[in-house]
Amino acid sequence: MTKLPVIRFKDSQIELAHGAGGKASRRLVEGLIAPILGNPSLDDAALLSLNGSSLAFTADSFVVKPLRFPGGSIGELAVYGTVNDLAVSGAKPIALLSTLILEAGLSAQVLQEELEAIQQAAQIAGVQVVGGDTKVVEHGKADGLYISTSGVGLVDLRVNLAASSVRPGDQVLLSGTIGDHGITILLARGELDLVADLKSDTRSVWPFVEALIGMAAPGLRWMRDPTRGGVATSLNELARDVSLAIKLYEDQIPIRDEVRGACEILGLDPLHIANEGQFIAIIAPEYAETALEAVRAVPGGAEARLVGEVVDSPAGVVYSQTGYGSSRIVDMLVGDPLPRIC
């Protein structure tokens, strides 16, 4: 007789916070989903060996309102978000499947525009959309359009990414400015009396990762794309998993003035805001400068920075230090980001 899994999820119902990428999301995955499905992995992609090659598989879903926003749209997000999960697993994206959940009443013109956005983004990202599925739901049930994707990539065998390889002294590399996407979405909804010349950072990160692997593969320990929950959530998960601390140099973190100003007005922390075209890498110290130069040499990588380091303690904590020597705890595991900032 099959032994029943131990369920540690105590919440009585699913809330928006469970999909926001913070503490509640992790509680849902670790406490309910993973025990039943029998796979505790929280990685961006699953790795499988096949005839001497290593393949990365990933799946994602995209729910964003409005469907189109400055710098991108849900169709572009569906492509770039999926290829980025593959890229930060060290895999060159190859092909995608795309499932469309259409709400009855959706304009055919809007659908055509998003299909064209998918096709154009796939072409830029160097992948093929090889299949998918389409479903239609009742009016009022899908914010117009939801997209679910899956993707496959070929893992570069020069890298061996694992949280367990992270060591004190390793450096934190950030590929560019943070918070652009999440704040753009908030402003695009028209619910805030703020105006800012800002657009989403939606893009494929594979060109940067490819350059990074080419120049610094032996020193590359771990990577993530800081989407929901932002940089804080990604690094806090790492800190907890390896029982180490991560110290960020706050004055080195690239943040646009528009993002910083909006966050100050709204009482938000840019480290908690979603990104769709950036990645974080943990690099062995002897390869850190080489890695930074590699990313900066790629068009669009000029804002890359070394923004912190892995330290021994306090274990499981991410904290930031200012240029004046003061510090603050950045710990998304004690709270949750705003829901639905895709």
Side-chain angles (χ1 to χ4, degrees):
M1 182 176 180
T2 302
K3 184 179 179 180
L4 295 177
V6 177
I7 305 301
R8 296 185 174 88
F9 186 71
K10 303 302 181 184
D11 299 22
S12 60
Q13 63 185 24
I14 304 302
E15 307 287 353
L16 285 174
H18 289 110
K23 179 184 64 174
S25 294
R26 185 139 187 160
R27 189 166 64 243
L28 172 63
V29 172
E30 292 185 342
L32 181 60
I33 298 174
I36 293 177
L37 297 183
N39 183 0
S41 173
L42 293 175
D43 291 339
D44 285 302
L47 304 183
L48 297 175
S49 295
L50 181 65
N51 296 330
S53 297
S54 184
L55 298 179
F57 290 89
T58 191
D60 211 338
S61 299
F62 298 87
V63 179
V64 61
K65 186 177 181 180
L67 296 178
R68 303 187 74 85
F69 44 84
S73 72
I74 191 172
E76 291 175 71
L77 282 181
V79 173
Y80 292 136
T82 306
V83 301
N84 288 349
D85 281 348
L86 294 170
V88 297
S89 299
K92 179 180 181 179
I94 297 174
L96 303 178
L97 294 172
S98 180
T99 296
L100 307 176
I101 308 297
L102 310 178
E103 180 183 336
L106 175 69
S107 163
Q109 179 62 35
V110 169
L111 177 58
Q112 178 179 332
E113 290 172 353
E114 292 314 309
L115 291 172
E116 291 171 350
I118 290 172
Q119 189 276 331
Q120 291 168 7
Q123 186 176 40
I124 292 171
V127 297
Q128 289 186 310
V129 179
V130 296
D133 189 27
T134 303
K135 292 291 187 293
V136 179
V137 299
E138 297 176 19
H139 179 68
K141 301 295 185 181
D143 288 336
L145 169 65
Y146 296 158
I147 302 178
S148 179
T149 57
S150 57
V152 61
L154 185 64
V155 177
D156 193 309
L157 297 180
R158 290 174 292 176
V159 297
N160 183 20
L161 302 174
S164 59
S165 68
V166 173
R167 300 288 183 269
D170 288 348
Q171 300 293 295
V172 181
L173 186 151
L174 179 60
S175 63
T177 56
I178 64 171
D180 295 7
H181 177 75
I183 296 300
T184 295
I185 296 300
L186 282 177
L187 297 179
R189 289 175 183 166
E191 299 171 357
L192 304 172
D193 189 19
L194 294 174
V195 177
D197 184 16
L198 192 64
K199 65 179 182 178
S200 172
D201 60 354
T202 306
R203 63 180 179 177
S204 169
V205 303
W206 172 247
F208 306 99
V209 172
E210 185 177 34
L212 181 60
I213 293 173
M215 295 294 291
L220 187 54
R221 312 278 207 205
W222 175 95
M223 285 190 291
R224 283 291 184 276
D225 55 333
T227 51
R228 293 175 303 163
V231 170
T233 293
S234 296
L235 289 179
N236 270 284
E237 289 180 351
L238 174 63
R240 196 190 82 160
D241 289 344
V242 300
S243 296
L244 293 170
I246 298 174
K247 177 171 65 175
L248 297 176
Y249 305 121
E250 194 146 351
D251 55 352
Q252 294 297 314
I253 298 172
I255 305 172
R256 299 188 194 279
D257 290 340
E258 296 87 347
V259 171
R260 194 184 302 276
C263 284
E264 289 177 356
I265 292 171
L266 297 170
L268 301 175
D269 186 335
L271 289 169
H272 299 169
I273 304 299
N275 311 274
E276 288 292 345
Q278 308 298 346
F279 70 94
I280 310 166
I282 304 297
I283 311 288
E286 64 270 24
Y287 283 92
E289 290 296 334
T290 299
L292 179 61
E293 291 174 7
V295 175
R296 284 182 171 176
V298 179
E303 295 296 327
R305 300 284 190 278
L306 295 172
V307 300
E309 65 178 305
V310 179
V311 295
D312 287 304
S313 63
V317 171
V318 175
Y319 66 96
S320 65
Q321 181 173 299
T322 70
Y324 301 101
S326 61
S327 63
R328 67 184 180 94
I329 299 296
V330 179
D331 192 349
M332 283 301 297
L333 295 181
V334 301
D336 290 304
L338 292 177
R340 295 293 301 278
I341 302 179
C342 180

